[in-house]
Amino acid sequence: MAQTDTRMHAIVKDRPGPGLTVTTVPKPSPGPGEVLIAVRHAGVCGTDLHIADWDPWAQGRIRPPIVVGHEFAGEIVQMGEGVTELSVGQLVTAEGHLVCNHCLQCRTGNGHICRNTRIIGVDRDGAFAEFVVMPATNVLSLDGIPTEVGAIMDPMGNAFHTVLTAEIPGSTVFIVGCGPIGCFAVGIARAAGAAKVIASDVNPKRLALAQQMGAQLTINARTDDVVRTVQEATGGEGVDVVCEMSGVPSALHQAFATVRMGGRVQLLGIPRGEVPVDFATEIIFKGVTIYGVIGRKMYETWHDMRRFLTNGMLDPRPVITHRYPLARVDDALAAIRSGDAGKVILEIA
Amino acid sequence: MAQTDTRMHAIVKDRPGPGLTVTTVPKPSPGPGEVLIAVRHAGVCGTDLHIADWDPWAQGRIRPPIVVGHEFAGEIVQMGEGVTELSVGQLVTAEGHLVCNHCLQCRTGNGHICRNTRIIGVDRDGAFAEFVVMPATNVLSLDGIPTEVGAIMDPMGNAFHTVLTAEIPGSTVFIVGCGPIGCFAVGIARAAGAAKVIASDVNPKRLALAQQMGAQLTINARTDDVVRTVQEATGGEGVDVVCEMSGVPSALHQAFATVRMGGRVQLLGIPRGEVPVDFATEIIFKGVTIYGVIGRKMYETWHDMRRFLTNGMLDPRPVITHRYPLARVDDALAAIRSGDAGKVILEIA
Amino acid sequence: MAQTDTRMHAIVKDRPGPGLTVTTVPKPSPGPGEVLIAVRHAGVCGTDLHIADWDPWAQGRIRPPIVVGHEFAGEIVQMGEGVTELSVGQLVTAEGHLVCNHCLQCRTGNGHICRNTRIIGVDRDGAFAEFVVMPATNVLSLDGIPTEVGAIMDPMGNAFHTVLTAEIPGSTVFIVGCGPIGCFAVGIARAAGAAKVIASDVNPKRLALAQQMGAQLTINARTDDVVRTVQEATGGEGVDVVCEMSGVPSALHQAFATVRMGGRVQLLGIPRGEVPVDFATEIIFKGVTIYGVIGRKMYETWHDMRRFLTNGMLDPRPVITHRYPLARVDDALAAIRSGDAGKVILEIA
Amino acid sequence: MAQTDTRMHAIVKDRPGPGLTVTTVPKPSPGPGEVLIAVRHAGVCGTDLHIADWDPWAQGRIRPPIVVGHEFAGEIVQMGEGVTELSVGQLVTAEGHLVCNHCLQCRTGNGHICRNTRIIGVDRDGAFAEFVVMPATNVLSLDGIPTEVGAIMDPMGNAFHTVLTAEIPGSTVFIVGCGPIGCFAVGIARAAGAAKVIASDVNPKRLALAQQMGAQLTINARTDDVVRTVQEATGGEGVDVVCEMSGVPSALHQAFATVRMGGRVQLLGIPRGEVPVDFATEIIFKGVTIYGVIGRKMYETWHDMRRFLTNGMLDPRPVITHRYPLARVDDALAAIRSGDAGKVILEIA
């Protein structure tokens, strides 16, 4: 597909302002400690939408021109100097967060909260392209996982991090919000031994996806009384674990109202602006633990993920509802905007 | 079946020496804080065998005459004074360890390691009888779990305690020894989200049971190279978690040889006498954590167990291989002695 | 001091409406499983102030007439039937929360979040009296701890629970709010191996108390820039653990602003009404864990407390700033209202 | 002290066979990602003794010629290419274990149990020299810690790892064996909030050192009844945490006999060959957790250590009993062999 040996197709944010451009750019080369990967599949994320829409966050962070995209999988086609643990021909995915390896967090196994993180497709060229260069340390072998699944391991990793940092075996789990990451979380909670998985959303299509991923009870937050339904399904006790994946203020209150005394609330959804909270009744008097989930643990989450995916514990593919070629990135973004999509991916090679 | 209102059939250790007697004894009455339970099913345990055989342990501990048996389920038929949280007609099982509630362990949620524990069927009258009296605090509602399953929740609780005190979701787990508790452990590990469950035993019948409970790989320790097989099945890394359920010295060494660097070994099987261990290479240089499992957590394990059993996560009934009426307790003991049995139960009512 | 054998002095909430009454009431008798304790010292708590002031919470909860007070220590003078683990003449304190012992929380070592809790001095007669009856299960031997210290182990237990449920050895700890419980927390954090303890308040007298209890850095939140001062004291990284003891909304935001990436915030202070929070920047993007602290762990916290107090690790007496006889309870309440007091206690016998 | 710009003094294992040689060797140069450090102080370890003595372990592992020594601190004098987070003139120490950064353990924050570890002074040139080259990733700034203390942070790290992976605040802790690492452990346990620290050894000089480091009770294992003394000092309950630092079989049994029901045993001492253990009574029936301690957590332990040392929580210098110049390494080894020494260090510059 590459026009010449030295240029490649890519999706570029080429100027400050709305829109993305399908164009050609120079094909990159791997430096020392890096590899060049021919991208096969890439996942489209809400972050890409923010960049396309040029919202305030994007205006503050993005410095065009830049190749966008940070979720992908593909084949190693060239090795930089000094890389020994990988090989040409290997199918891989990669963690898109490039961390400093020097700060306290990096040195104590918590690189995911490194304060010096740079993200591909945000702070440097990304993966919506025929080729991408990555540091070898960030690259993970797929070990038989299909590249279309490998391409969505980044967001799935957020779901894994959210679910597996709670105590799941035998627990009742309430997934609040059934976007792609919420739907992944449903499947992960079931695979990890949850006794009962309940899921809520306002969109019936997304609730159907959640059910397909294993939710034993789904609640339409637009038409049903969420709190009462969860209480009834748990003998009035509330659930052991809530995973808040929506960022919607009313859902946040439902999270606190449905967790049991002494339970745990995992927060991944990002509310816009401030949300008023009654700390006394919603959190303190209930003895609740809350965990703010950011990214994926590097590389504990990736390791867990490979275990689940290579042992047949979880098939995330029902969540992939839309597939487009690279050139139709605008259609991919439109599918996300519709609110009806599960995961949207680009088929690049 | 009771001959009169005041006597009942029971299996009694009536004198120091080998053997058990099927006879009638006075029917007990519940005191304050106690309930009377009509026993429906009872599980036969290795402990009962020790008492029947009058081995050195039994000679040191048992004071005849005593009704034996500590695993059971049945129906509440009479309430002692002051018991409010239970009701006549309720189907229940019970924790057979009566603890002091005053020591440090009891007061900090660790009653299972109370140093003042008394056990029914060992230190006071037990459950191989038409009726048994229990303190209400020890009684647990079955919530729809069949009494034949309720009758084996005591040993199953040991398996739950062994498995769930390790980190299971996504882990590779090796169950060493496929007696009834080992077979339960296989099913629990699968239900709790293990990535792969490997099981070993010297008896092909027991290995077949383990496979039926979900083991993805079984190893005949008599004919196969256990350590090499486990290493090969884990890419040379070893397993994350080993549950040693056999008490056999060679199996203990296999446990240490197959656990990965930094992994965890749960010890439930009871070796006789001393076992020589090379602490340096088997434990310390591997950075291994070892946990000595005794009994069940009161009542955290019971709560977990009810969650698994009432939500259809685990069906332990394939492990029940033999069923006898109360009068045929000798046949039940013979089945256990054969080494081919899974769990053996008595059908009392 | 008792007028007759059958009546005793006590502080009573005798009608709906503001005020407390110093009067005599019948001396209670211990029932089965209970003991009668001659109170020597009692602690005065903000809760007592709410009851005296007859605020909306008190109006909804308290049913006069009732003897108030829930923090105390004294001498066992009479044993109810069946109590064997205590003895007459023993100096004791007691957990004032009476829990159900049957719910999930109670049965899994989490009685402190039992939903059926009744509190002495709130839901039944309390300890601002010459005598109080307590269930033996709630009574704890002082083992040489003075009764004036025993009388404040209830609120000190909240401080212990707040501090010790975080990882303290080698950690930097920020105590937000230096009321009596905050001052206890300072001393506990030092004794538990904190690398550095920082404390903030708006009252210089309270900051002086915090310093006396071991705070290495105190910040006047009225005059200093709290967030900048904490950041500077921690090399720009923030603290590992924040204990929010004030319930003041601005302090809550300071808690989130000063905790490091991946740190932990313990919430004990009770904000009134709702506080708007920016979950994204204050909690989620920082990967923070929050724990809502309610009461004391029964009886793990009490056990820890006795260890610290009997081994000379902590002397909380500098925090006791005011002492009054029972009859001067109004002066005690006034001292608390002044905002300048540390802990205020009643000297009863 | 260096004779020329290109050679330096060093202690070398120059041939298979007993003995160490004080000689000159070429001064090394830092490659990319490395730094050159001028060594000021170095710690002498039992490992160095094994190498000098050419015992079976050394015969199997060491490939002469090699500069020995792995514990040191000094000043950075030259930077290799690409090192940005360090600077010339900085006083530093370093982790001597060079790990692969690619294996599961390395990628999940457990580099200390990397199976591909290489150790300086064992597998490549070490630190008993005027200069040593280290990868920048392994180097840690001293932040004001004296170099004589920095030089012993490697073995002190083992003590930190041993102590801080148990729950220390408010716990009773028994340190079995008062060699240098045991003595460090005493001080660390006190600083980390232990309620009581008990220490045992057969050597009165070492017991005196332990007392100096804060042990509240010391037991001479040659003349006293260790188990009875510990039981009496803990009200018959046993200690919460035992740290076994001796590797002596009888001490190992004392560790298991003195830990309380449900307690924790940390194993750092390396027994030679097999030790027979009664798993039933020593471990399983007590519900004990055992942790095999290897090395230091990279770099969590180092971070903790800097916190304790820079905040004045621990002064390990009383444990340093002998100091020699580089040329007197044989005297240093003799001091260790005597059994009376605490920590022995070399003063190099």
Side-chain angles (χ1 to χ4, degrees):
Chain A
M1 186 181 172
Q3 288 180 304
T4 76
D5 279 1
T6 58
R7 294 190 71 80
M8 65 174 183
H9 288 96
I11 296 170
V12 177
K13 184 74 184 181
D14 59 2
R15 62 177 194 295
L20 294 177
T21 304
V22 183
T23 181
T24 67
V25 297
K27 179 179 162 184
S29 293
E34 297 181 331
V35 297
L36 181 70
I37 300 167
V39 181
R40 290 196 181 172
H41 289 93
V44 185
C45 172
T47 299
D48 303 314
L49 207 61
H50 293 308
I51 296 174
D53 291 350
W54 203 238
D55 73 2
W57 170 82
Q59 293 172 34
R61 176 87 174 249
I62 307 295
R63 297 289 160 261
I66 190 172
V67 176
V68 298
H70 54 275
E71 309 173 356
F72 75 98
E75 180 184 346
I76 296 180
V77 292
Q78 194 182 339
M79 310 280 286
E81 197 186 341
V83 179
T84 56
E85 76 276 17
L86 298 166
S87 55
V88 168
Q90 211 172 358
L91 295 180
V92 296
T93 181
E95 165 62 58
H97 286 211
L98 312 184
V99 299
C100 78
N101 290 316
H102 300 306
C103 72
L104 166 63
Q105 278 74 24
C106 282
R107 281 201 154 172
T108 55
N110 291 296
H112 67 290
I113 45 174
C114 168
R115 294 206 293 189
N116 308 311
T117 302
R118 298 175 66 246
I119 306 178
I120 65 167
V122 171
D123 302 307
R124 46 145 275 189
D125 282 341
F128 289 174
E130 289 174 282
F131 298 95
V132 63
V133 158
M134 289 299 295
T137 51
N138 281 53
V139 173
L140 295 115
S141 168
L142 285 179
D143 293 354
I145 300 167
T147 51
E148 65 177 0
V149 173
I152 57 175
M153 284 175 71
D154 167 312
M156 211 186 324
N158 293 5
F160 267 93
H161 182 187
T162 305
V163 174
L164 293 190
T165 45
E167 180 77 11
I168 298 301
S171 294
T172 47
V173 180
F174 180 25
I175 308 292
V176 180
C178 298
I181 300 184
C183 286
F184 294 143
V186 166
I188 295 161
R190 284 300 306 271
K196 186 181 284 186
V197 178
I198 306 171
S200 70
D201 201 295
V202 295
N203 182 326
K205 287 188 185 172
R206 291 183 151 187
L207 289 172
L209 270 185
Q211 196 169 17
Q212 207 177 336
M213 291 303 290
Q216 287 124 322
L217 173 63
T218 57
I219 306 175
N220 186 321
R222 185 158 288 151
T223 58
D224 299 339
D225 182 330
V226 171
V227 176
R228 202 177 61 192
T229 307
V230 172
Q231 293 294 348
E232 283 172 6
T234 55
E237 190 183 89
V239 292
D240 299 310
V241 177
V242 179
C243 300
E244 206 302 300
M245 322 297 270
S246 75
V248 176
S250 59
L252 201 62
H253 291 298
Q254 289 161 6
F256 294 130
T258 53
V259 71
R260 71 159 164 83
M261 295 293 286
R264 191 173 170 101
V265 177
Q266 312 284 88
L267 297 180
L268 182 76
I270 305 294
R272 288 196 192 188
E274 296 190 327
V275 179
V277 173
D278 184 337
F279 278 84
T281 58
E282 297 191 82
I283 298 171
I284 299 172
F285 292 156
K286 295 186 77 171
V288 165
T289 299
I290 298 169
Y291 176 53
V293 183
I294 173 165
R296 300 149 297 279
K297 286 194 187 172
M298 296 164 63
Y299 289 89
E300 195 176 323
T301 304
W302 290 90
H303 171 69
D304 287 335
M305 215 172 346
R306 278 202 291 204
R307 280 282 178 81
F308 276 69
L309 292 168
T310 59
N311 285 284
M313 298 173 69
L314 176 75
D315 182 354
R317 282 173 293 190
V319 182
I320 305 175
T321 54
H322 297 70
R323 296 153 192 269
Y324 298 95
L326 191 64
R328 288 183 58 201
V329 66
D330 283 342
D331 292 336
L333 296 176
I336 295 179
R337 278 194 195 92
S338 76
D340 285 345
K343 189 70 200 173
V344 176
I345 66 172
L346 300 175
E347 301 183 313
I348 296 179
Chain B
M1 186 180 174
Q3 287 182 304
T4 77
D5 280 0
T6 58
R7 294 189 73 80
M8 65 174 184
H9 288 96
I11 297 169
V12 177
K13 183 75 182 180
D14 59 1
R15 61 177 196 293
L20 294 177
T21 305
V22 182
T23 181
T24 67
V25 297
K27 178 180 162 184
S29 293
E34 298 181 332
V35 298
L36 182 69
I37 300 166
V39 180
R40 291 195 181 175
H41 289 91
V44 186
C45 172
T47 300
D48 303 313
L49 207 61
H50 294 308
I51 298 173
D53 291 350
W54 203 238
D55 74 2
W57 170 83
Q59 294 171 35
R61 176 85 174 250
I62 308 295
R63 297 289 161 264
I66 190 172
V67 176
V68 299
H70 54 276
E71 309 172 357
F72 75 98
E75 180 184 345
I76 295 181
V77 291
Q78 196 183 336
M79 311 279 286
E81 197 187 340
V83 179
T84 56
E85 76 277 15
L86 299 167
S87 55
V88 167
Q90 212 171 358
L91 295 180
V92 297
T93 182
E95 165 63 57
H97 287 211
L98 312 183
V99 298
C100 79
N101 290 316
H102 299 307
C103 72
L104 166 63
Q105 279 74 27
C106 282
R107 281 203 154 170
T108 54
N110 291 297
H112 67 291
I113 45 174
C114 169
R115 295 205 291 188
N116 308 311
T117 301
R118 300 175 65 244
I119 306 177
I120 66 167
V122 172
D123 302 308
R124 46 145 275 190
D125 282 340
F128 289 174
E130 289 174 281
F131 299 95
V132 64
V133 158
M134 290 299 294
T137 50
N138 281 52
V139 174
L140 294 115
S141 169
L142 285 179
D143 293 355
I145 301 166
T147 51
E148 64 178 2
V149 173
I152 57 174
M153 283 175 71
D154 167 312
M156 211 187 323
N158 293 5
F160 266 93
H161 183 186
T162 305
V163 174
L164 293 190
T165 44
E167 180 78 12
I168 299 301
S171 294
T172 47
V173 180
F174 180 25
I175 308 292
V176 180
C178 298
I181 300 184
C183 287
F184 294 144
V186 166
I188 295 161
R190 285 298 306 272
K196 186 181 283 186
V197 178
I198 306 170
S200 70
D201 201 295
V202 295
N203 183 325
K205 287 188 186 172
R206 292 184 150 185
L207 288 172
L209 269 185
Q211 194 168 18
Q212 207 176 336
M213 291 303 291
Q216 287 125 321
L217 172 64
T218 57
I219 306 175
N220 187 321
R222 185 157 288 150
T223 58
D224 300 339
D225 182 330
V226 172
V227 175
R228 200 176 63 191
T229 308
V230 172
Q231 292 294 348
E232 283 171 6
T234 56
E237 190 184 90
V239 293
D240 299 310
V241 177
V242 179
C243 299
E244 206 303 298
M245 322 296 272
S246 76
V248 175
S250 59
L252 200 62
H253 291 298
Q254 289 161 4
F256 294 130
T258 54
V259 71
R260 69 160 165 83
M261 295 292 287
R264 191 173 170 102
V265 177
Q266 313 284 89
L267 298 179
L268 182 76
I270 306 294
R272 287 194 194 192
E274 296 190 328
V275 179
V277 173
D278 183 337
F279 278 84
T281 58
E282 297 191 81
I283 298 171
I284 298 172
F285 292 157
K286 294 186 78 171
V288 165
T289 299
I290 299 169
Y291 176 53
V293 183
I294 173 164
R296 300 150 296 279
K297 286 196 188 171
M298 296 164 61
Y299 289 89
E300 195 175 323
T301 304
W302 290 90
H303 171 69
D304 287 336
M305 214 172 345
R306 278 201 292 203
R307 280 282 179 81
F308 276 69
L309 293 169
T310 60
N311 285 285
M313 298 171 70
L314 176 75
D315 183 354
R317 282 173 293 191
V319 183
I320 305 175
T321 53
H322 297 70
R323 295 153 193 269
Y324 299 95
L326 192 62
R328 289 183 57 200
V329 67
D330 283 343
D331 292 337
L333 296 174
I336 294 179
R337 279 194 194 92
S338 76
D340 285 345
K343 189 70 200 172
V344 176
I345 66 172
L346 300 175
E347 300 182 314
I348 296 179
Chain C
M1 186 181 175
Q3 288 181 302
T4 76
D5 280 1
T6 58
R7 294 192 70 80
M8 66 174 183
H9 289 96
I11 297 169
V12 177
K13 184 75 184 181
D14 59 1
R15 63 179 193 292
L20 293 178
T21 305
V22 182
T23 181
T24 66
V25 298
K27 178 180 162 185
S29 295
E34 297 180 332
V35 298
L36 182 69
I37 301 166
V39 180
R40 291 196 182 174
H41 289 94
V44 185
C45 172
T47 300
D48 303 314
L49 207 62
H50 294 308
I51 297 173
D53 292 350
W54 202 239
D55 75 0
W57 171 81
Q59 293 172 33
R61 177 85 173 249
I62 308 294
R63 297 287 159 264
I66 189 172
V67 176
V68 298
H70 55 276
E71 308 173 356
F72 75 98
E75 180 184 346
I76 296 180
V77 291
Q78 195 183 337
M79 309 280 287
E81 197 186 341
V83 179
T84 56
E85 75 276 17
L86 298 166
S87 55
V88 168
Q90 212 172 358
L91 295 181
V92 297
T93 181
E95 164 63 56
H97 286 211
L98 313 183
V99 299
C100 79
N101 291 316
H102 299 307
C103 71
L104 166 63
Q105 278 74 26
C106 282
R107 282 201 153 171
T108 55
N110 291 296
H112 67 291
I113 45 173
C114 168
R115 295 205 292 189
N116 307 311
T117 302
R118 298 175 66 244
I119 305 178
I120 67 166
V122 172
D123 302 308
R124 47 144 274 190
D125 281 342
F128 288 174
E130 288 174 281
F131 300 95
V132 63
V133 158
M134 289 300 295
T137 50
N138 282 54
V139 173
L140 294 115
S141 170
L142 285 179
D143 293 356
I145 300 166
T147 51
E148 65 178 1
V149 174
I152 58 173
M153 284 175 71
D154 167 311
M156 212 186 324
N158 293 7
F160 268 93
H161 183 186
T162 304
V163 174
L164 293 189
T165 45
E167 181 79 10
I168 298 302
S171 293
T172 47
V173 180
F174 180 24
I175 308 292
V176 180
C178 297
I181 301 185
C183 287
F184 294 143
V186 166
I188 295 161
R190 284 299 305 271
K196 185 180 285 186
V197 177
I198 305 169
S200 70
D201 201 293
V202 294
N203 184 325
K205 289 189 185 170
R206 293 185 151 185
L207 288 172
L209 270 185
Q211 196 169 15
Q212 207 176 337
M213 292 302 291
Q216 287 124 321
L217 172 64
T218 56
I219 307 175
N220 186 322
R222 184 159 289 153
T223 58
D224 299 339
D225 183 330
V226 173
V227 175
R228 202 177 60 192
T229 308
V230 173
Q231 292 294 348
E232 283 171 7
T234 56
E237 191 184 87
V239 292
D240 298 312
V241 177
V242 179
C243 299
E244 207 301 299
M245 322 298 269
S246 75
V248 175
S250 59
L252 200 62
H253 292 298
Q254 288 161 5
F256 294 130
T258 53
V259 72
R260 71 160 164 82
M261 295 293 286
R264 191 172 170 102
V265 177
Q266 313 286 88
L267 298 179
L268 182 76
I270 305 293
R272 287 195 193 189
E274 297 189 327
V275 179
V277 174
D278 183 337
F279 279 83
T281 58
E282 298 192 80
I283 298 170
I284 299 173
F285 292 156
K286 294 185 78 170
V288 165
T289 299
I290 298 168
Y291 177 53
V293 183
I294 173 165
R296 302 149 296 278
K297 286 196 187 173
M298 295 162 62
Y299 288 90
E300 195 175 323
T301 304
W302 290 90
H303 170 69
D304 288 335
M305 217 174 340
R306 278 201 291 203
R307 281 282 180 82
F308 276 69
L309 293 169
T310 60
N311 286 285
M313 299 171 68
L314 176 76
D315 183 354
R317 282 174 293 191
V319 183
I320 304 176
T321 53
H322 296 70
R323 296 153 192 268
Y324 299 95
L326 191 64
R328 288 183 59 199
V329 66
D330 283 342
D331 292 336
L333 295 175
I336 296 179
R337 277 195 195 92
S338 75
D340 284 343
K343 189 69 199 173
V344 177
I345 66 172
L346 301 175
E347 300 182 313
I348 297 178
Chain D
M1 186 180 175
Q3 289 181 304
T4 76
D5 280 359
T6 58
R7 293 190 71 80
M8 64 174 183
H9 288 97
I11 297 170
V12 176
K13 184 75 183 181
D14 59 2
R15 63 179 192 291
L20 293 177
T21 304
V22 183
T23 182
T24 66
V25 297
K27 178 179 163 186
S29 294
E34 297 181 334
V35 298
L36 181 69
I37 300 166
V39 180
R40 292 196 180 173
H41 289 93
V44 186
C45 174
T47 300
D48 303 313
L49 207 62
H50 294 307
I51 296 173
D53 291 349
W54 202 239
D55 75 1
W57 171 82
Q59 293 172 34
R61 177 85 174 250
I62 308 295
R63 298 286 160 265
I66 188 172
V67 176
V68 298
H70 55 276
E71 309 173 356
F72 75 99
E75 180 185 345
I76 296 181
V77 292
Q78 194 182 339
M79 310 280 287
E81 196 187 340
V83 179
T84 57
E85 75 277 16
L86 298 167
S87 55
V88 167
Q90 211 172 358
L91 295 181
V92 297
T93 181
E95 165 63 58
H97 286 212
L98 313 183
V99 299
C100 78
N101 291 315
H102 299 306
C103 72
L104 167 63
Q105 278 74 26
C106 282
R107 281 203 153 171
T108 55
N110 292 295
H112 67 291
I113 45 173
C114 168
R115 295 206 292 190
N116 307 311
T117 301
R118 299 174 66 244
I119 305 178
I120 66 167
V122 172
D123 303 308
R124 46 144 275 189
D125 281 341
F128 288 174
E130 289 175 281
F131 298 95
V132 63
V133 158
M134 289 299 295
T137 51
N138 281 52
V139 173
L140 295 115
S141 169
L142 284 179
D143 293 355
I145 301 166
T147 52
E148 65 179 359
V149 174
I152 59 174
M153 284 175 70
D154 167 312
M156 211 186 326
N158 293 6
F160 267 94
H161 183 187
T162 304
V163 174
L164 293 190
T165 46
E167 181 78 11
I168 298 302
S171 293
T172 47
V173 179
F174 180 25
I175 307 292
V176 180
C178 298
I181 300 185
C183 286
F184 295 143
V186 166
I188 295 161
R190 283 300 305 272
K196 186 181 284 185
V197 178
I198 305 169
S200 70
D201 202 293
V202 295
N203 183 326
K205 289 189 185 171
R206 292 184 152 186
L207 289 172
L209 269 186
Q211 196 169 17
Q212 206 176 338
M213 291 302 291
Q216 288 123 321
L217 173 64
T218 56
I219 307 175
N220 186 322
R222 185 158 288 151
T223 58
D224 299 339
D225 182 330
V226 173
V227 175
R228 202 178 58 191
T229 308
V230 173
Q231 292 294 347
E232 283 171 6
T234 56
E237 189 183 89
V239 292
D240 299 311
V241 177
V242 179
C243 300
E244 207 302 298
M245 322 297 271
S246 75
V248 175
S250 59
L252 200 62
H253 292 298
Q254 289 161 4
F256 294 130
T258 54
V259 71
R260 71 160 165 82
M261 295 290 289
R264 191 172 171 104
V265 177
Q266 313 285 89
L267 298 179
L268 182 77
I270 306 293
R272 287 195 194 189
E274 296 190 328
V275 179
V277 173
D278 184 336
F279 278 84
T281 59
E282 297 190 81
I283 298 171
I284 299 173
F285 291 156
K286 294 186 78 170
V288 165
T289 299
I290 298 168
Y291 176 54
V293 183
I294 173 165
R296 301 149 296 279
K297 287 196 187 173
M298 296 162 62
Y299 288 89
E300 195 176 323
T301 303
W302 288 91
H303 171 70
D304 287 335
M305 215 172 345
R306 279 201 292 203
R307 280 281 180 81
F308 276 68
L309 293 169
T310 59
N311 285 284
M313 299 171 68
L314 176 76
D315 182 354
R317 282 172 293 190
V319 183
I320 304 175
T321 55
H322 296 69
R323 296 152 194 271
Y324 298 94
L326 192 62
R328 289 183 58 200
V329 67
D330 283 341
D331 292 335
L333 296 175
I336 295 180
R337 278 194 194 91
S338 76
D340 285 343
K343 189 69 200 173
V344 176
I345 66 172
L346 300 175
E347 300 181 314
I348 297 179

